[in-house]
Amino acid sequence: MFSQQAYFAVYLCEQRREFLEFHLSQRLDQLDRMVGQNPLLSVHQGQPRGLRATMSLARMLAAQNRRDDARAALAPIYAWFTEGFASPDLLAAKSLLDGDLSA
């Protein structure tokens, strides 16, 4: 059986989680508005992060011998880019797509 102190501690933790979740959502809304008002931020900040995250996913899938799934996840993101193919991120993505899914 839990004591009243344990229940109270759980209650406080839950209240803190809700408080932080609420304030985080407000901050994210503010950030979205700021990024949406600045086309340079929205285009140039979002792409590399999405590419890097997808590259990590592709590596993880490849490690699980799911190379087709890895390529299927990465190809649409890579195809979205129209310039900057000499950048380290896009060179790494191209390497992954070309078969080096351990990179």
Side-chain angles (χ1 to χ4, degrees):
M1 282 293 192
F2 289 109
S3 68
Q4 281 186 323
Q5 289 176 334
Y7 281 115
F8 185 67
V10 170
Y11 173 77
L12 287 178
C13 288
E14 180 64 17
Q15 292 298 311
R16 183 170 187 221
R17 183 194 62 78
E18 289 177 5
F19 173 81
L20 293 173
E21 200 173 77
F22 173 75
H23 286 287
L24 177 62
S25 69
Q26 284 186 333
R27 294 288 182 204
L28 290 175
D29 289 343
Q30 288 174 346
L31 182 61
D32 285 343
R33 283 194 299 279
M34 287 173 31
V35 168
Q37 293 169 357
N38 187 336
L40 290 176
L41 283 177
S42 63
V43 171
H44 295 292
Q45 293 296 323
Q47 290 174 1
R49 289 184 185 139
L51 178 64
R52 289 180 194 135
T54 306
M55 287 171 44
S56 294
L57 173 65
R59 287 185 190 106
M60 183 191 72
L61 291 170
Q64 297 173 352
N65 290 323
R66 297 173 55 192
R67 297 189 190 311
D68 292 337
D69 292 337
R71 283 188 191 90
L74 186 55
I77 303 297
Y78 182 81
W80 194 80
F81 287 85
T82 59
E83 60 185 18
F85 292 103
S87 71
D89 287 333
L90 288 175
L91 288 172
K94 179 68 172 159
S95 175
L96 288 171
L97 286 170
D98 287 345
D100 185 16
L101 288 167
S102 63

